[in-house]
Amino acid sequence: MKHFLPFALLGAVFLTACGGSVASAPSADLIKNPLYTKQYYDDLGQRMVDIIISEDDALKKDPALKTYIGNVKDEATRRSKEANTVIVKGLLGSFVPVKEQPQGHVLVTDSAVYLGADFITDPGPELHVYLTKNVDPRDGTFPGKNDLDLGRLKNPYSAQMYSLPTSQAGPYSTVVLYDTRLKRLYGFAQLAKQ
């Protein structure tokens, strides 16, 4: 998938690559999400490769621009690898639909639950994110006393993060989307090492 990338954002990435202090992603909150970060920098790096391969006229006229794009590509590769290091240490899953059609990836680390940039679900009036030790929340009563409610879903259409309380004992097996008002199980993602 090709994305339009504003030149100001390219400048921000380049400044970061050269030791500047400008943020290298659209949002400081999003860049904390390893799933989002990996996808963003993979896409950015691929876009820079595509520009170099296309032999764009601007590159022929300005060799410094080609160097700049190469630096952005290298920085994107480095940041993608850093995000991947976090991902492989956590537990990863993909949503399975039950009563609704949630899609996308989820990552659970020791400190947070991350929904990826590919996350999408139907909205609900009181849709919550849960962690459960049950592999399948349809087995038994859900939610149960040992299930952890991380709060209301922040957004049904995008990457997001939920902090885990340090007092909660794991390990959890599954992330669940459940509407507490409708008593409706939207779907769940079983977690596993990558």
Side-chain angles (χ1 to χ4, degrees):
M1 173 187 263
K2 294 186 179 185
H3 302 281
F4 173 76
L5 192 60
F7 285 109
L9 184 56
L10 283 174
V13 172
F14 181 67
L15 285 173
T16 301
C18 296
S21 61
V22 176
S24 58
S27 162
D29 287 337
L30 286 175
I31 206 66
K32 293 175 188 175
N33 182 330
L35 294 173
Y36 174 88
T37 300
K38 179 158 179 21
Q39 181 176 345
Y40 176 83
Y41 284 112
D42 284 349
D43 289 350
L44 178 61
Q46 184 59 53
R47 188 70 196 119
M48 297 303 100
V49 168
D50 291 346
I51 291 170
I52 292 169
I53 290 172
S54 73
E55 297 183 11
D56 189 282
D57 287 339
L59 297 178
K60 293 175 186 172
K61 295 176 183 174
D62 185 357
L65 183 58
K66 188 171 185 175
T67 301
Y68 166 76
I69 290 172
N71 289 338
V72 171
K73 178 189 71 64
D74 293 345
E75 178 68 6
T77 300
R78 183 184 69 75
R79 289 188 179 241
S80 173
K81 287 179 181 177
E82 287 174 355
N84 195 59
T85 299
V86 175
I87 292 168
V88 298
K89 290 179 182 177
L91 298 172
L92 198 59
S94 296
F95 281 99
V96 174
V98 176
K99 299 277 187 182
E100 302 295 341
Q101 300 295 314
Q103 299 174 22
H105 291 89
V106 60
L107 172 68
V108 177
T109 66
D110 291 338
S111 61
V113 172
Y114 301 97
L115 302 181
D118 61 348
F119 173 75
I120 186 168
T121 191
D122 297 304
E126 289 294 329
L127 189 54
H128 284 237
V129 178
Y130 279 84
L131 279 173
T132 182
K133 295 179 182 180
N134 298 328
V135 174
D136 188 330
R138 297 172 292 188
D139 296 339
T141 303
F142 184 87
K145 65 177 182 163
N146 294 322
D147 299 324
L148 179 61
D149 184 352
L150 298 176
R152 200 169 179 177
L153 184 71
K154 295 175 184 174
N155 189 335
Y157 310 117
S158 67
Q160 51 208 283
M161 180 189 93
Y162 300 84
S163 295
L164 291 178
T166 55
S167 63
Q168 294 298 322
Y172 290 99
S173 303
T174 307
V175 175
V176 181
L177 296 176
Y178 180 78
D179 193 300
T180 59
R181 180 70 177 109
L182 300 177
K183 310 287 187 221
R184 188 172 182 83
L185 179 62
Y186 273 48
F188 61 93
Q190 295 171 337
L191 303 169
K193 278 285 188 192
Q194 189 176 12

